[in-house]
Amino acid sequence: RKKNRLSLAQYKEGILSGDRIILSRAITLVESNLQEDNELSTQLIDELYPSTGNSIRIGITGVPGVGKSTFIEYFGKYLISKGKKIAVLTIDPSSQKSGGSILGDKTRMNELSQDKNAYIRPSATGDALGGIAHRTRESMLLCEAAGYEIIIIETVGVGQSETSVKGMVDFFLLLMLAGAGDELQGIKKGIMEMADAIVITKVDSGNENAARKAKKEYENALHLFPPNENGWLPKVELSSAVDGEGAQEVEKLINSFIKKMKENGFFDHNRSQQAINWMHETVHQYLRKNFYNTPVIKENLPKFEEDVKSGNQHAVKAALELIKKYKA
Ligand code: GDP
């Protein structure tokens, strides 16, 4: 394993020169559970930090089958045709539980993944969501240092990872279907509320009228939410990857959002707020891990769990007792 690791300087130079193989290896380092790897990746990110932050960070979510990978491939190719370099990072929360994955055993974004101006990376699996989110953030910074100007973070819209993704992007896009009988298709209201825009997918093959109707409905639904403090009214766009419609409109929409946020100061405000939250999350994660790895806690936990389970001990009291032992 050890000989697989490059030196800090090798990672750094490779990434800054846009070497995709080294970028991939650095992301693997970020995703590693080994302490030495974590130390090295923290150092690496620290060194690369001045070269990060220059991208537009876009979160994309939607239920399985809505057309995320098709849209990202189509939209990504459009952006590349306009001279951009894009990176796509996917978070797949399902894989932890089932061992399988919603996002894809199938090959996704085939054409895009072969384009030299695109970099596609599925998330590592089998870790707590907090861990995945943390790693995705760091991977995003590595992609920025490697020169990717647009970072797309894709997640399945099933209500687990969206909040973390919202917490690391500038713009949050929700994909929805038209006329799928809905009740908003199992998309939770809270996810709609996070969206800066909704894109209705598959607006083709006779689906056009239903899509226009859905557009009105979604617009109405969005306008019922309390206004965003950043002054942005979420928009609804139509798209068809099959007919090649919508990419230009979505790009315009994102550009006007970014322009407005930069003008009114919310772009920087949002990013610095996210950085503060990230710091706190890192502290929480560290403390939690540290707590459960402490010998006295490891030793006592089974008994406490047993007592709480059997009703011998009240949960909060048990927690406080454990903390007392930890601090002692
Ligand atoms: P994901 O699970 O959200 O990533 O969805 P996919 O991108 O895999 O798409 C699910 C299915 O919808 C696939 O069979 C796609 O070919 C199809 N699809 C995606 N986008 C469009 C579109 O714009 N028009 C039509 N007609 N079909 C689409």
Side-chain angles (χ1 to χ4, degrees), residues 62-71 102-103 106 108 154 201-205 239-242:
V63 294
V66 71
K68 289 180 297 300
S69 70
T70 311
F71 176 80
I102 302 182
L103 275 180
K106 62 188 165 151
R108 308 175 82 243
E154 179 198 13
T201 55
K202 310 189 196 183
V203 185
D204 51 53
S205 328
S239 115
S240 163
V242 169

Side-chain angles (χ1 to χ4, degrees), residues 123-190:
S123 71
T125 54
D127 203 314
L129 196 57
I132 293 181
H134 183 79
R135 286 150 185 208
T136 303
R137 270 197 172 101
E138 296 194 326
S139 303
M140 176 170 80
L141 297 180
L142 295 178
C143 290
E144 288 178 344
Y148 292 90
E149 299 152 299
I150 294 177
I151 318 275
I152 291 176
I153 301 185
E154 179 198 13
T155 173
V156 189
V158 291
Q160 293 177 68
S161 48
E162 287 69 31
T163 314
S164 350
V165 173
K166 172 81 177 172
M168 62 179 101
V169 298
D170 305 314
F171 186 86
F172 193 72
L173 187 62
L174 172 62
L175 303 190
M176 301 272 276
L177 294 165
D182 36 80
E183 238 37 271
L184 308 179
Q185 302 158 50
I187 283 284
K188 305 231 161 44
K189 236 181 93 201

Side-chain angles (χ1 to χ4, degrees), residues 7-231:
S7 72
L8 182 60
Q10 282 172 318
Y11 281 118
K12 186 179 171 186
E13 280 154 31
I15 287 172
L16 289 175
S17 69
D19 185 321
R20 297 148 60 100
I21 293 171
I22 294 188
L23 173 61
S24 286
R25 293 179 66 171
I27 293 179
T28 303
L29 192 74
V30 159
E31 289 173 348
S32 163
N33 285 319
L34 295 178
Q35 172 113 28
E36 309 122 84
D37 288 348
N38 290 346
E39 279 163 17
L40 187 56
S41 71
T42 303
Q43 259 179 310
L44 177 62
I45 285 167
D46 192 39
E47 295 226 352
L48 289 172
Y49 200 67
S51 311
T52 65
N54 296 319
S55 77
I56 293 176
R57 304 164 177 173
I58 301 169
I60 294 186
T61 192
V63 294
V66 71
K68 289 180 297 300
S69 70
T70 311
F71 176 80
I72 293 171
E73 170 142 278
Y74 163 60
F75 186 54
K77 276 161 52 187
Y78 173 79
L79 295 172
I80 287 170
S81 79
K82 300 199 74 185
K84 300 284 187 208
K85 285 181 72 179
I86 80 157
V88 182
L89 306 172
T90 60
I91 298 182
D92 188 349
S94 59
S95 44
Q96 295 155 236
K97 267 195 213 151
S98 59
S101 126
I102 302 182
L103 275 180
D105 302 321
K106 62 188 165 151
T107 317
R108 308 175 82 243
M109 302 173 226
N110 223 338
E111 288 179 44
L112 199 58
S113 60
Q114 283 165 37
D115 195 303
K116 67 174 177 13
N117 291 311
Y119 178 79
I120 297 181
R121 174 86 181 202
S123 71
T125 54
D127 203 314
L129 196 57
I132 293 181
H134 183 79
R135 286 150 185 208
T136 303
R137 270 197 172 101
E138 296 194 326
S139 303
M140 176 170 80
L141 297 180
L142 295 178
C143 290
E144 288 178 344
Y148 292 90
E149 299 152 299
I150 294 177
I151 318 275
I152 291 176
I153 301 185
E154 179 198 13
T155 173
V156 189
V158 291
Q160 293 177 68
S161 48
E162 287 69 31
T163 314
S164 350
V165 173
K166 172 81 177 172
M168 62 179 101
V169 298
D170 305 314
F171 186 86
F172 193 72
L173 187 62
L174 172 62
L175 303 190
M176 301 272 276
L177 294 165
D182 36 80
E183 238 37 271
L184 308 179
Q185 302 158 50
I187 283 284
K188 305 231 161 44
K189 236 181 93 201
I191 296 182
M192 266 189 97
E193 203 164 348
M194 289 192 280
D196 296 303
I198 290 176
V199 167
I200 300 176
T201 55
K202 310 189 196 183
V203 185
D204 51 53
S205 328
N207 200 8
E208 292 82 353
N209 281 335
R212 272 190 289 274
K213 193 162 157 263
K215 182 172 192 278
K216 287 243 158 60
E217 286 169 11
Y218 291 146
E219 276 165 353
N220 290 339
L222 288 172
H223 294 169
L224 290 178
F225 294 129
N228 287 315
E229 57 166 350
N230 62 15

